[in-house]
């Protein structure tokens, strides 16, 4: 289901880019990155057929994928809970 796919992407994002952070710290950083993405790139990215190569290995890779699921970013507490679940 779409929420499970979103949560999988969120955990992969944390594992790659915020592995040493506690769930609360990772969630705060990820939400800040998601807000910046939403303001600057999300609308333009909706017109793209595929993810730009420059997004790979960055938060944009995961945000681009999550936006296509589609599934909204969870709030701070829900994101912390999602990130606390071990894969």
């Amino acid at each position: 289901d779409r929420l499970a796919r979103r949560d999988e992407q969120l955990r992969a994002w944390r594992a790659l880019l915020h592995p040493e952070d506690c769930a609360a710290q990772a969630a705060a950083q990820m939400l800040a990155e998601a807000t910046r993405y939403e303001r600057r790139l999300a609308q333009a990215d909706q017109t793209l057929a595929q993810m730009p190569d420059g997004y790979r290995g960055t938060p944009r890779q995961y945000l681009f994928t999550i936006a296509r699921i589609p599934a909204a970013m969870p709030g701070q507490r829900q994101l912390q809970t999602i990130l606390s679940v071990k894969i």
Side-chain angles (χ1 to χ4, degrees):
D1 103 302
R2 64 187 176 81
L3 293 180
R5 289 184 303 173
R6 176 203 64 190
D7 294 354
E8 181 181 300
Q9 288 295 310
L10 291 168
R11 289 185 198 104
W13 175 9
R14 180 194 182 186
L16 181 66
L17 300 171
H18 302 284
E20 301 301 320
D21 296 338
C22 68
Q25 188 176 19
Q29 290 176 2
M30 291 167 71
L31 286 171
E33 292 164 355
T35 299
R36 283 192 296 275
Y37 175 81
E38 188 66 34
R39 287 184 187 148
R40 296 179 186 160
L41 299 168
Q43 191 170 19
D45 281 356
Q46 291 297 327
T47 64
L48 301 177
Q50 60 185 2
M51 179 174 40
D53 289 335
Y55 283 17
R56 301 214 186 280
T58 73
R60 291 179 186 167
Q61 170 183 338
Y62 300 98
L63 292 163
F64 184 92
T65 302
I66 290 167
R68 294 223 163 358
I69 290 176
M73 277 296 289
Q76 175 81 26
R77 285 185 180 208
Q78 184 181 9
L79 183 54
Q80 282 179 236
T81 300
I82 292 165
L83 298 178
S84 295
V85 174
K86 299 294 181 204
I87 301 174

